[in-house]
Amino acid sequence: MLEERRILITGGAGFIGSHLAEALVEHNNIVKIYDNFNPFYFNKEANIKRLKEAKNCTLIKGDILDLNSLKQAIGNDTELIFHIAAQPGVRFSVETPFKTNEINVTGTLNMLVAVQNSNVEKLINASSSSVYGTPQYLPIDEKHPTNPVSPYGASKLAAEKYCKAFYRIYGINVCSLRFFTVYGPRQRPDMAIHIFTQQILKNESPTIFGDGNQTRDFTFVDDTVSGIIASAEAKDTAGEDFNLGKGERCSVNNLISLLIKITGNAVEPNWTKIMKGDVSHTWADITKAKKMLGYDPQTSIETGLEEFVEWYKSTPYDQIPKASP
Ligand code: NAD
Ligand code: UGA
């Protein structure tokens, strides 16, 4: 586990970033959160409630599109950077490709330029399973062709390519981590598990896009965070990509059945048209991350969903992330 390191986390007020920040703060690292609290969804203040009380955590309200502010935040003493900030959301990117591109591509390019003449030892870039597109085989290893089918996937792939280019020309020690549909307490309100739980608890019918036979390698956030931290500690990761999934998959229909069982609310789903940009299946081959990072995800989908539902039910209404109007 990293200890007493000087760390900057972009997107640290978001879902994954706030969990990462909590884990690092607990281990006495000196953490700076850099986030612009963008209005994609609300209540990010609640995500960082505990972090605000920690003496070894500071919050900088800044935008990754502002290069000078980013350089200032990095300063001379930052040792490690976790670049987690992005405009996420596959479906959102179909509606707003320019915004997705600007934040994910220009934002990452700014980060690389900001790191160039700094004392940063290592930069970890948050990427996505969406870079693969429609799978040609399963499970998907890192050598699988990258042919994204959404503007979001294309933007995350472009960001990865910039990272590699900066590694090649300037020797920047950067690697990219391809997260697979992450869930857990504080999950973004635009994501399936959050939406379905909300609907089922209200005895409403969940809306399934397509026939529900699409599968996802749903990954519990604590496992993702352990992989992110392991990547910062591991050697020989410069210029590499790693899949961080659970290494198992579950269909959307099965996901609904599990949530119905956990909540005890027997609702009938609606099946509607498939969404543009949605891939049929994701399923990570995590052999490389296991071998090079010692990554070892532990949380079964049943346990992780129980934890999510428990969090959702026990969280005051005004602290649950809310979709923007
Ligand atoms: P999130 O929206 O909860 O977190 C992103 C954070 O970045 C937010 O707090 C937001 O305010 C901040 N941000 C956005 N634009 C910014 C800007 N211009 N300047 C500064 N901060 C900005 O999303 P998340 O689900 O936690 O995703 C985190 C990362 O993981 C993203 O890079 C995303 O692409 C990637 N990812 C997420 C998943 C998933 O399932 N959640 C899967 C694959 C990849
Ligand atoms: C998720 C994240 O939103 C992306 O940021 C991330 O990069 C991506 O995972 C990834 O793994 O790379 P997605 O798989 O679309 O994208 O996540 P969910 O919102 O959890 O959707 C899972 C499935 O449920 C999709 O097939 C989606 O179409 C479906 N869904 C979603 C529904 O059927 N109904 C809904 O109301 C919402």
Side-chain angles (χ1 to χ4, degrees):
M1 183 49 160
L2 298 170
E3 279 180 8
E4 297 182 9
R5 307 298 305 274
R6 293 188 174 271
I7 296 172
L8 182 89
I9 307 176
T10 69
F15 161 48
I16 299 172
S18 63
H19 282 278
L20 173 64
E22 282 177 359
L24 293 170
V25 161
E26 261 168 44
H27 283 81
N28 299 321
N29 293 287
I30 300 146
V31 175
K32 279 185 212 166
I33 286 175
Y34 188 91
D35 200 299
N36 73 343
F37 292 75
N38 87 347
F40 177 52
Y41 66 91
F42 298 123
N43 304 11
K44 286 174 192 159
E45 287 290 344
N47 289 346
I48 55 160
K49 203 164 169 251
R50 275 173 56 197
L51 289 162
K52 274 183 152 175
E53 289 155 15
K55 285 203 179 76
N56 51 336
C57 183
T58 39
L59 173 65
I60 302 167
K61 285 200 180 178
D63 196 316
I64 55 168
L65 296 174
D66 181 345
L67 181 57
N68 284 334
S69 150
L70 204 46
K71 282 183 177 169
Q72 222 175 345
I74 295 170
N76 295 321
D77 60 351
T78 303
E79 296 168 292
L80 292 168
I81 298 183
F82 295 95
H83 177 44
I84 311 291
Q87 176 53 63
V90 172
R91 298 175 290 282
F92 184 81
S93 77
V94 174
E95 307 300 324
T96 54
F98 286 108
K99 190 165 191 61
T100 298
N101 181 74
E102 189 183 28
I103 300 177
N104 298 357
V105 184
T106 308
T108 304
L109 184 53
N110 271 346
M111 175 51 80
L112 290 160
V113 170
V115 163
Q116 214 176 312
N117 293 312
S118 73
N119 296 319
V120 172
E121 292 162 21
K122 194 165 186 176
L123 171 66
I124 310 292
N125 176 50
S127 188
S128 161
S129 70
S130 306
V131 300
Y132 293 116
T134 305
Q136 292 180 10
Y137 56 84
L138 290 166
I140 303 167
D141 59 15
E142 290 82 354
K143 292 198 175 85
H144 186 284
T146 46
N147 293 310
V149 293
S150 65
Y152 170 76
S155 74
K156 297 302 273 188
L157 183 59
E160 279 190 7
K161 297 277 187 199
Y162 271 116
C163 290
K164 287 204 180 78
F166 273 64
Y167 163 61
R168 289 187 193 116
I169 51 177
Y170 302 113
I172 289 180
N173 185 359
V174 54
C175 67
S176 291
L177 307 177
R178 294 170 176 165
F179 305 158
F180 283 66
T181 316
V182 187
Y183 72 103
R186 309 199 290 261
Q187 192 195 39
R188 296 190 337 252
D190 63 304
M191 293 185 68
I193 290 174
H194 192 123
I195 297 171
F196 292 155
T197 301
Q198 196 172 38
Q199 289 166 327
I200 295 171
L201 286 174
K202 285 199 230 164
N203 273 312
E204 290 171 0
S205 292
T207 301
I208 297 178
F209 302 139
D211 62 10
N213 290 323
Q214 69 266 44
T215 57
R216 289 291 179 277
D217 189 338
F218 294 108
T219 311
F220 193 66
V221 66
D222 290 357
D223 288 326
T224 307
V225 165
S226 73
I228 300 173
I229 294 172
S231 76
E233 294 172 302
K235 295 200 184 339
D236 304 324
T237 56
E240 298 286 344
D241 313 307
F242 297 95
N243 285 345
L244 292 186
K246 171 70 173 84
E248 289 163 15
R249 61 187 177 131
C250 172
S251 72
V252 170
N253 286 332
N254 191 35
L255 174 67
I256 298 273
S257 302
L258 290 169
L259 286 169
I260 287 174
K261 199 169 153 204
I262 292 166
T263 57
N265 287 10
V267 291
E268 187 61 25
N270 287 318
W271 285 266
T272 176
K273 67 177 180 13
I274 195 160
M275 285 287 177
K276 287 192 177 74
D278 212 26
V279 292
S280 48
H281 304 287
T282 69
W283 178 12
D285 180 329
I286 53 174
T287 309
K288 183 177 174 185
K290 278 188 161 175
K291 198 170 158 196
M292 286 183 67
L293 311 180
Y295 172 64
D296 186 19
Q298 295 292 324
T299 316
S300 70
I301 183 81
E302 291 82 4
T303 306
L305 289 178
E306 273 170 23
E307 200 164 318
F308 179 78
V309 172
E310 184 51 40
W311 167 80
Y312 193 93
K313 289 204 297 198
S314 60
T315 304
Y317 178 76
D318 64 357
Q319 288 183 23
I320 295 175
K322 299 282 181 316
S324 56

